[in-house]
Amino acid sequence: MGLIVQKFGGTSVGNSERILNVAERVIEEKNRGNDVVVVVSAMGKTTDQLVSLAGEVTSSPSKREMDMLLTTGEQITISLLAMALQHKGYDAIAFTGWQAGIETEPVFGNARVLKIDSTRVQAELEKGKIVIVAGFQGATADGEIATLGRGGSDTTAVALAAALKADKCDIYTDVTGVFTTDPRYVKAARKLLSISYDEMLELANLGAGVLHPRAVEFAKNYHVPLEVRSSMERESGTIIEEEGKMEQNLVVRGIAFEDKITKVTVLGLSNTLSSLSTIFTTLANNHLNVDIIIQSTTNKNTTDLSFSIHSEDLKDTLQVLADNKESLKYETVQFESDLAKVSIVGSGMVSNPGVAAKMFEVLANESIEVKMVSTSEIKVSTVVEEGNMIRAVDSLHHAFELAGTAVKS
């Protein structure tokens, strides 16, 4: 007998029929002799509907009350799934995130999991029950409800798997696995049978929506075996493991892309050794994530600094910069929106020079202007105009020969 953690996303539990289907998948695992913990998201577009509802009441809802509101979505799902399993003759119990012992940092809207007291979950498993846990949520040390950000149910599942020392964590979704790029936009995309933690972490951080980045980080740090698979199809998915099985000549494993990117440029920043740390510490203290960074020195006394952010953070970023203008010592701020980030990822890039050059050549041949660039050992990211995003992805997917049948990475 083993312990399996299963996670089902919003599409998989989108209506009562799909919840009954999920119940069958849970029962299948239970009947194999395994203990089962199930993590679920809110049904379908419930979270979006709740956000819209809040917008009808106020244009600036407090983050605390938004977390109180949004966590109700997952509570609906856990209750219905527990009822469905009980109706089918299986003993099940539903827990909210805080009832399951998930403690988060005191940050509303995008909290990180600090620790999990799995005592209560373990006790119910020992009674033979199927335990269902609401994803995306936890509570702070002083009892405040906090959410883990969009996609946080993945993190809940992997964190629980790590805390419970589960044998495996299965992430059920509306696709059959991890693809070389999003098959909804590039028809030639193919499924990968396996991929390394590092490659998956890069893809997730760069916009591939199939897994939440923090979930992959947890899996890597705690060596949790992960499989991304379909909740509707009975077929194997993509195994995420320490090192994917290398396929010869597959230098680039996947292409990630993300829209709604804004480039912010701070002009006339004081050219001192501490100026960069000061500006980014200020942004970090206000929970604003910065991505690609470019610095250009204009003279001995000043420098210009550009960085990319999610467009939804633009208003807060501009406000923080304005509030701290005197201490940051800059002249003015400019920004450019309607941008997108397109990235190629592959561990094979380490030992294959010329990959970045080929990427830029492909984009140049498509007359796509590159506005920002960021590199690491296993990825190259570019910022382009949003209107060119899909064309860039399609061209790169073809140029790096990623089309075809499912492969091991």
Side-chain angles (χ1 to χ4, degrees):
M1 179 180 288
L3 172 59
I4 307 296
V5 175
Q6 298 178 309
K7 181 264 175 176
F8 294 89
T11 304
S12 301
V13 293
N15 54 42
S16 57
E17 181 180 352
R18 291 186 176 183
I19 288 174
L20 289 169
N21 174 68
V22 166
E24 290 298 330
R25 298 301 292 262
V26 174
I27 289 168
E28 287 173 15
E29 199 63 68
K30 183 67 174 176
N31 287 346
R32 292 189 185 102
N34 293 312
D35 288 329
V36 185
V37 174
V38 188
V39 175
V40 291
S41 300
M43 296 172 64
K45 298 293 183 181
T46 299
T47 301
D48 291 335
Q49 291 166 358
L50 291 172
V51 170
S52 178
L53 207 62
E56 294 176 14
V57 175
T58 174
S59 60
S60 55
S62 76
K63 291 185 177 181
R64 179 189 186 277
E65 304 311 328
M66 281 300 294
D67 277 7
M68 288 286 284
L69 174 67
L70 297 183
T71 50
T72 63
E74 281 73 19
Q75 291 180 54
I76 293 170
T77 316
I78 59 173
S79 301
L80 292 173
L81 181 56
M83 293 175 193
L85 288 165
Q86 291 164 2
H87 179 72
K88 293 175 181 290
Y90 289 79
D91 202 356
I93 186 169
F95 288 148
T96 62
W98 45 96
Q99 287 176 318
I102 299 172
E103 182 180 327
T104 74
E105 62 184 357
V107 177
F108 297 117
N110 197 31
R112 292 177 177 273
V113 175
L114 294 179
K115 61 182 180 180
I116 297 178
D117 180 355
S118 60
T119 304
R120 192 171 182 188
V121 173
Q122 288 276 22
E124 298 299 338
L125 288 173
E126 288 171 7
K127 296 175 185 175
K129 293 183 181 181
I130 297 169
V131 178
I132 306 159
V133 179
F136 174 67
Q137 59 185 252
T140 65
D142 56 1
E144 294 283 1
I145 295 172
T147 64
L148 310 182
R150 285 300 180 97
S153 293
D154 290 344
T155 305
T156 301
V158 180
L160 277 169
L164 295 165
K165 295 181 172 57
D167 295 278
K168 189 184 179 189
C169 180
D170 287 332
I171 307 292
Y172 288 88
T173 181
D174 55 349
V175 294
T176 56
V178 179
F179 282 70
T180 49
T181 194
D182 194 329
R184 295 173 298 178
Y185 297 93
V186 179
K187 300 303 180 186
R190 59 177 166 174
K191 185 173 75 175
L192 296 165
L193 299 184
S194 68
I195 190 170
S196 71
Y197 289 129
D198 287 336
E199 289 170 326
M200 190 66 244
L201 186 56
E202 287 283 14
L203 286 170
N205 274 315
L206 294 168
V210 69
L211 266 179
H212 195 275
R214 291 180 195 166
V216 184
E217 187 178 348
F218 257 109
K220 175 180 169 61
N221 291 342
Y222 294 95
H223 309 289
V224 176
L226 277 182
E227 183 172 357
V228 178
R229 56 196 308 185
S230 169
S231 61
M232 306 302 291
E233 307 294 332
R234 297 301 200 272
E235 63 176 83
S236 60
T238 300
I239 300 293
I240 301 166
E241 52 196 351
E242 193 62 47
E243 291 196 21
K245 283 75 174 177
M246 293 291 233
E247 182 192 323
Q248 289 184 347
N249 302 321
L250 192 60
V251 177
V252 174
R253 305 286 192 265
I255 301 175
F257 55 95
E258 185 177 14
D259 60 4
K260 296 181 175 60
I261 299 296
T262 292
K263 175 184 176 183
V264 176
T265 301
V266 182
L267 299 169
L269 187 67
S270 175
N271 191 15
T272 63
L273 291 175
S274 62
S275 61
L276 291 183
S277 64
T278 301
I279 193 167
F280 290 122
T281 298
T282 301
L283 293 169
N285 287 341
N286 286 274
H287 310 294
L288 294 167
N289 291 321
V290 171
D291 189 15
I292 300 175
I293 301 169
I294 298 175
Q295 181 186 13
S296 56
T297 302
T298 53
N299 58 56
K300 291 183 179 180
N301 298 318
T302 64
T303 185
D304 294 341
L305 181 69
S306 296
F307 54 87
S308 64
I309 58 170
H310 291 290
S311 296
E312 64 185 19
D313 291 332
L314 177 60
K315 181 180 177 181
D316 289 344
T317 300
L318 295 178
Q319 188 63 56
V320 168
L321 292 174
D323 291 345
N324 294 275
K325 185 174 184 179
E326 185 175 344
S327 61
L328 296 176
K329 297 181 174 61
Y330 66 86
E331 293 175 4
T332 188
V333 176
Q334 297 176 348
F335 64 90
E336 182 182 3
S337 296
D338 299 322
L339 302 177
K341 184 168 60 178
V342 176
S343 310
I344 57 174
V345 175
S347 56
M349 293 165 60
V350 176
S351 56
N352 285 272
V355 176
K358 182 175 181 179
M359 180 183 192
F360 299 139
E361 180 184 3
V362 170
L363 296 177
N365 289 340
E366 292 291 326
S367 300
I368 297 174
E369 179 186 0
V370 175
K371 295 179 177 288
M372 304 180 81
V373 177
S374 174
T375 65
S376 74
E377 287 186 332
I378 65 171
K379 64 96 172 173
V380 180
S381 293
T382 60
V383 173
V384 302
E385 291 182 357
E386 197 170 271
N388 292 327
M389 180 178 70
I390 298 303
R391 186 157 56 91
V393 174
D394 201 34
S395 300
L396 291 167
H397 195 269
H398 176 75
F400 287 104
E401 301 178 357
L402 293 177
T405 55
V407 294
K408 289 184 177 180
S409 54

